[in-house]
Amino acid sequence: MSRIFLTVLNMSFTAGYCIAAVIVLRFFLKKQPKIFSYLLWSVVLFRLLCPFSISSSYSLLRVNTDLLSSDIIGISNTDDAGEKVQDTAIAVAVQGTESGTDISAHSNDDTESAGETWRKVIAVGAWVWLTGILALVLYSIGTVLRLRRSLTNAVLTEGNQYEAEGIATPFVMGICRPRIYLPAHLQQEEKRYVLAHEKIHIVRKDYLVKIAFYAAVCIHWFNPLAWLAFVLMENDMEMSCDETVLKKLGPGVKKEYSRSLLSLSTGESRFWSSPLAFGEGNVKGRVRNILAYRKRTALAIVAVAAALIVVGAGLLLNPVRDKEADVEEETQRLAAFVEDYAEAFCSRNGERIVNFFMDEETALESVYMLEKEDDMYTLGLSSPWPLEFRYQLIPEENRAYIYYYAWTSDPHIHVWRENIQCLLIDGEYLVAEDFYWISDRITTREEFDSVYLIENAYQFVDYQENGFVDAINYQREDGTSSVDNTVYAEPIRAAEHILNLSGGTGRLDGQSVYQAAVWYTFADGSEVMIPMYQANYDAATETSTGEPLWIVDTAVWNAGAP
């Protein structure tokens, strides 16, 4: 329901733009046949009723026809068939959660709260909208039934023409077999003009147009421009019908025709008595138009018609969206999805994680540590625990690589690389496939770069910022460590241990008291340089606060200078 309501809001916004354009055009068409302005309302009717249109480089719309996206506020319907996103290009977006670096921290709490608020607002709005439609439909049915009861004594005169006592103005009523109802007091000359007018309505199927427009107004009842369009459309319909009568009977009947309208005028709007029956409203405007009527030349009519065809087509066609903007928007949507998913994994929120997948079975088979216990989903409570994440997007494949820095109580970091394949289903991304690789033993430069080199910069957690240095120092002093903390005493061994390197050899290329460059050569001969620094050394005072403790210099790495 919420998704349908959002679609209607987008349609109403676009239709409002078209209504405003038609109102402006009507001003310039004042002296032209009213059939032109009447036909222009067909564009508005299309926009009010049709949720889609053809996109073209030629369009007069300068608005986003999909202003309110259901995906932005998290409204979805996963039961519908999915379709992959199109027209995307290669782009890589890398974000992080590490504090103290150029990579900002991720927290979706505020976004989630705002999204939930919007979902509630839209849900409530959808039910209010539906209630309004129901009220208008019931009202129109009630008025039609009431009007039918008042016509029980109507007398058939000929064909589809009826005369009835108690009605002040003539009108047409019906859908499959429309009938003309005339006041019983009509003079013969007045009846001639009235019947000519009402018959033209029936021939042109105006009664169906009015019903369709009223249905559109019921759908967009919250939009005041829709109501205004309905009133103006009906005025143009009546005036164009009057002009057709004058063409048929000749301009010499203008005065008599105007008198018959004035004699039938009650000053009351028949719209409010029955919106689905034709009343004869706006008599003053119609009389002015009748008296001002003059026959236009064929050339003038063709010129105006051609211009309005061009304008009407421009309002009917949707603008072709900028492909680069579409790519950027789609990339941002995919990035938001990946961030939300990674946040749920780092917080071990099993319920949320399952909701990101196509189905429960795929989630349970794919997600590392995910289990189901008593209808509850859990990733356990003990270490290893995902501390931070980075991610890399491949938008043209709807794919993402997520790098989790999972710590153990040693403390020590393993990098989990998750490869998720997403599908765009009913405007919402869902995970269709999921693969993991745990980097606890890196033996080649290729493996090394696949884990740590993201967006052409080496990425890793900051041992200092995350309290690992304090934990290691504490274990050294307390003597309760379950691991060999002597590995941090010199740069090469520390680099091997921290980054999970195996099977190669390291060498130093320049070392000071607190900085060092470790060149590590893998078994296949490939090399990598790792910047290190001594965390227990205070460069300002040139003193050490404890035993040497070498860690990776993430500030250098994250700056993109390996």
Side-chain angles (χ1 to χ4, degrees):
M1 180 61 67
S2 295
R3 176 173 287 278
I4 295 174
F5 181 51
L6 281 178
T7 300
V8 171
L9 288 177
N10 282 322
M11 292 167 59
S12 201
F13 177 76
T14 304
Y17 183 92
C18 293
I19 292 169
V22 171
I23 290 174
V24 172
L25 288 171
R26 286 176 82 252
F27 177 79
F28 293 101
L29 293 172
K30 272 186 175 182
K31 296 183 179 180
Q32 299 300 325
K34 289 299 182 286
I35 188 64
F36 291 131
S37 51
Y38 175 43
L39 291 175
L40 274 177
W41 290 114
S42 63
V43 175
V44 172
L45 183 61
F46 174 84
R47 285 296 182 181
L48 288 171
L49 292 178
C50 190
F52 56 85
S53 181
I54 299 172
S55 296
S56 171
S57 56
Y58 170 68
S59 175
L60 296 180
L61 292 181
R62 292 297 179 264
V63 294
N64 183 359
T65 56
D66 192 22
L67 185 65
L68 296 174
S69 171
S70 58
D71 308 295
I72 293 174
I73 61 176
I75 294 175
S76 63
N77 181 0
T78 57
D79 293 334
D80 294 342
E83 61 179 90
K84 291 198 71 174
V85 65
Q86 300 175 348
D87 297 328
T88 54
I90 297 175
V92 176
V94 179
Q95 301 292 337
T97 58
E98 183 176 6
S99 59
T101 68
D102 290 338
I103 300 175
S104 58
H106 288 288
S107 174
N108 67 342
D109 291 343
D110 292 341
T111 303
E112 195 173 274
S113 176
E116 183 63 28
T117 300
W118 270 110
R119 282 190 288 273
K120 290 179 180 178
V121 170
I122 295 300
V124 171
W127 284 109
V128 172
W129 165 68
L130 192 62
T131 302
I133 293 177
L134 183 61
L136 285 171
V137 170
L138 291 176
Y139 166 78
S140 61
I141 293 174
T143 55
V144 168
L145 293 176
R146 202 161 49 240
L147 186 57
R148 281 188 180 278
R149 283 197 299 269
S150 69
L151 298 173
T152 53
N153 295 323
V155 178
L156 175 65
T157 55
E158 62 174 293
N160 63 340
Q161 302 166 26
Y162 290 78
E163 289 186 358
E165 298 287 347
I167 61 173
T169 61
F171 59 88
V172 173
M173 186 176 178
I175 298 177
C176 297
R177 290 181 296 176
R179 297 175 176 181
I180 300 173
Y181 290 92
L182 305 175
H185 60 77
L186 279 183
Q187 300 297 320
Q188 194 61 35
E189 190 66 16
E190 292 174 337
K191 188 181 296 186
R192 175 195 177 199
Y193 299 130
V194 168
L195 285 174
H197 180 95
E198 304 302 342
K199 286 178 179 179
I200 289 170
H201 274 316
I202 293 175
V203 170
R204 297 196 318 188
K205 309 296 183 185
D206 286 342
Y207 57 94
L208 295 179
V209 174
K210 183 172 181 180
I211 291 172
F213 221 112
Y214 181 71
V217 170
C218 288
I219 294 172
H220 300 270
W221 61 264
F222 54 86
N223 187 346
L225 287 176
W227 293 99
L228 178 60
F230 183 83
V231 173
L232 295 179
M233 178 280 301
E234 192 172 18
N235 287 342
D236 290 340
M237 175 193 289
E238 294 297 337
M239 290 184 186
S240 67
C241 193
D242 291 335
E243 291 174 350
T244 305
V245 171
L246 294 178
K247 287 180 185 177
K248 184 178 180 180
L249 301 181
V253 301
K254 289 196 291 185
K255 290 184 178 180
E256 291 79 3
Y257 189 20
S258 299
R259 288 196 193 98
S260 66
L261 282 181
L262 290 172
S263 67
L264 293 170
S265 174
T266 64
E268 297 179 358
S269 172
R270 297 298 299 174
F271 170 77
W272 294 112
S273 62
S274 181
L276 299 182
F278 280 95
E280 308 302 332
N282 189 28
V283 172
K284 287 185 179 180
R286 290 175 60 189
V287 168
R288 289 196 200 98
N289 187 64
I290 290 170
L291 295 177
Y293 172 79
R294 60 184 179 84
K295 191 173 182 180
R296 272 73 174 179
T297 63
L299 182 61
I301 291 176
V302 170
V304 174
L308 290 182
I309 288 173
V310 172
V311 173
L315 293 175
L316 278 174
L317 297 170
N318 285 343
V320 175
R321 297 189 62 185
D322 182 77
K323 287 190 176 182
E324 291 185 4
D326 284 347
V327 169
E328 178 64 25
E329 180 182 342
E330 206 59 55
T331 300
Q332 290 177 0
R333 290 179 56 213
L334 180 59
F337 173 78
V338 171
E339 289 177 24
D340 288 346
Y341 173 80
E343 283 286 358
F345 188 80
C346 285
S347 63
R348 296 196 177 191
N349 190 327
E351 295 290 335
R352 283 189 61 211
I353 289 173
V354 173
N355 289 333
F356 284 101
F357 279 79
M358 297 274 292
D359 51 58
E360 178 192 77
E361 182 180 357
T362 303
L364 290 172
E365 288 179 354
S366 306
V367 179
Y368 184 54
M369 301 189 303
L370 180 64
E371 296 179 351
K372 185 176 183 181
E373 298 178 0
D374 300 327
D375 295 328
M376 298 290 291
Y377 303 100
T378 176
L379 279 79
L381 298 174
S382 61
S383 66
W385 190 292
L387 178 69
E388 302 172 359
F389 70 87
R390 313 282 193 272
Y391 64 88
Q392 190 172 22
L393 300 183
I394 313 297
E396 74 278 10
E397 299 178 8
N398 286 347
R399 184 180 299 278
Y401 294 97
I402 307 175
Y403 302 84
Y404 301 101
Y405 299 91
W407 63 276
T408 64
S409 55
D410 294 342
H412 183 62
I413 291 290
H414 289 170
V415 180
W416 301 343
R417 187 176 69 167
E418 184 178 16
N419 176 358
I420 61 173
Q421 175 66 59
C422 303
L423 289 179
L424 191 63
I425 297 179
D426 196 26
E428 179 189 27
Y429 282 108
L430 292 173
V431 179
E433 294 180 343
D434 189 9
F435 307 97
Y436 282 88
W437 181 63
I438 299 176
S439 59
D440 56 355
R441 189 171 180 271
I442 297 174
T443 60
T444 67
R445 172 66 184 268
E446 183 180 0
E447 291 178 356
F448 184 89
D449 285 348
S450 70
V451 173
Y452 299 123
L453 187 62
I454 309 170
E455 183 75 342
N456 297 318
Y458 285 110
Q459 306 287 331
F460 197 63
V461 299
D462 191 320
Y463 267 41
Q464 190 83 268
E465 290 289 338
N466 285 286
F468 287 10
V469 170
D470 292 336
I472 294 168
N473 282 327
Y474 175 80
Q475 290 176 357
R476 281 174 168 179
E477 295 173 3
D478 190 55
T480 58
S481 175
S482 60
V483 296
D484 180 13
N485 279 330
T486 62
V487 295
Y488 299 104
E490 56 93 10
I492 295 176
R493 291 182 65 203
E496 288 179 313
H497 176 70
I498 293 172
L499 297 175
N500 305 288
L501 308 181
S502 178
T505 59
R507 62 182 173 83
L508 291 175
D509 185 9
Q511 177 182 358
S512 67
V513 176
Y514 63 94
Q515 287 182 315
V518 173
W519 281 93
Y520 190 83
T521 304
F522 295 98
D524 63 359
S526 57
E527 279 190 323
V528 65
M529 194 277 283
I530 305 164
M532 306 288 290
Y533 79 97
Q534 213 275 80
N536 285 339
Y537 184 81
D538 187 346
T541 61
E542 297 184 350
T543 60
S544 180
T545 57
E547 296 178 29
L549 198 163
W550 290 89
I551 60 175
V552 176
D553 193 338
T554 55
V556 174
W557 263 27
N558 292 334

